[in-house]
Amino acid sequence: MRIEVLSDATAVAHRAADIVCDTVRAKPTAVFGLPTGQTPIATYDELQRRVRAGQIDFARAAAFAVDEFAGVPSSTAGMNSMFFRTRLRIPFPLHLPEPRAPDLDAEIRAFADGIRSDGGFDLCLLGIGANGHIAFNEPGSPADSRARVVALTEESRRAHAESFGSLDAVPRRGMTLGIADLLDARAILVLATGTAKAAIVARTIEGPTTADVPASCLRSHSNSTWLLDREAAARLSRTDAR
Ligand code: PGA
């Protein structure tokens, strides 16, 4: 794993956008896995800026969300599909699982199959939840977990209460790619910024590899890059050694 500690969240966003752009320049038909959350917004803004400036073209690329809430229409405020609609205005196909599918398990498994038939992720971006989750793989998710329907923790639901309007409105279940699906990506790019992530970043990178901290399972990947700002890296003891 490569760990890069950058000055601030803006520097992380620029570096992440560089890596995304390098990926699509090397392979115009690149397939990306994309997360929602506060962390990637600056990266998505920067990518949009570059697209508008004509610096990069994603016309032949494709993207898949790494997760979605389940059981309510995709047009509901707070849903990941709404996040991408407003936050990632890049003209390329962005696929999400259908949250009202009659068989949600079959839906998310077919979604993961679709990624594989598109050739798999060339680059999967991920944020880290404060409890160590990646996508909707909450603590307790094993490294060999595959795409599935999951129960969301209270902590994760609370983190989304504002975007859904209230805690009660946040769905109790989500559909997620499993950790093994994320590890299938040819490259992984993890983003973490801000002091609120410092403790979980330290546990993820320097603690044991454990299902209690799902993000720690990413350490086994042979091609992962972790972009941290100084605040998120503040509790690491050995950043210079990497
Ligand atoms: P955040 O969420 O970027 O809003 O902190 C990260 C996550 O839950 O994966």
Side-chain angles (χ1 to χ4, degrees):
M1 62 200 281
R2 288 175 297 279
I3 298 177
E4 298 183 25
V5 181
L6 298 146
S7 54
D8 56 22
T10 304
V12 167
H14 281 244
R15 179 80 180 109
D18 286 348
I19 293 171
V20 170
C21 291
D22 286 349
T23 303
V24 86
R25 279 194 196 100
K27 183 179 178 185
T29 58
V31 176
F32 295 96
L34 297 180
T36 59
Q38 294 303 306
T39 311
I41 289 175
T43 300
Y44 296 157
D45 286 348
E46 176 61 16
L47 286 171
Q48 261 160 233
R49 196 193 61 72
R50 294 183 191 191
V51 168
R52 287 203 189 111
Q55 294 168 3
I56 192 75
D57 179 5
F58 286 89
R60 296 172 60 206
F64 292 79
V66 295
D67 56 19
E68 177 57 296
F69 294 91
V72 299
S74 58
S75 57
T76 307
M79 294 293 279
N80 289 349
S81 59
M82 297 303 284
F83 171 96
F84 284 118
R85 208 173 291 175
T86 52
R87 296 290 185 182
L88 190 64
R89 294 176 172 273
I90 292 179
F92 67 170
L94 171 66
H95 307 283
L96 288 111
E98 168 50 51
R100 297 288 296 269
D103 183 341
L104 291 170
D105 273 307
E107 170 68 14
I108 188 63
R109 281 199 303 270
F111 181 77
D113 285 343
I115 295 167
R116 284 185 280 273
S117 34
D118 250 19
F121 290 150
D122 293 289
L123 179 68
C124 185
L125 274 68
L126 291 167
I128 304 180
N131 65 2
H133 72 223
I134 40 170
F136 276 152
N137 293 282
E138 297 279 22
S141 303
D144 61 358
S145 54
R146 287 287 174 184
R148 66 204 187 285
V149 177
V150 292
L152 302 176
T153 60
E154 273 306 292
E155 186 175 4
S156 295
R157 292 183 62 243
R158 270 199 302 275
H160 291 273
E162 196 180 322
S163 49
F164 277 90
S166 72
L167 179 58
D168 273 353
V170 182
R172 294 181 182 278
R173 292 180 305 160
M175 293 178 280
T176 189
L177 297 179
I179 297 175
D181 298 308
L182 302 173
L183 289 170
D184 283 343
R186 281 182 276 287
I188 291 177
L189 183 61
V190 185
L191 312 177
T193 56
T195 46
K197 295 292 168 69
I200 194 63
V201 162
R203 273 182 82 195
T204 297
I205 293 177
E206 295 183 343
T209 298
T210 165
D212 293 343
V213 183
S216 68
C217 300
L218 300 177
R219 283 159 42 188
S220 67
H221 196 275
S222 59
N223 184 13
S224 73
T225 303
W226 302 60
L227 301 183
L228 314 173
D229 70 357
R230 275 198 206 113
E231 290 182 348
R235 289 172 70 170
L236 289 176
S237 54
R238 307 188 302 266
T239 48
D240 53 329
R242 293 188 175 83

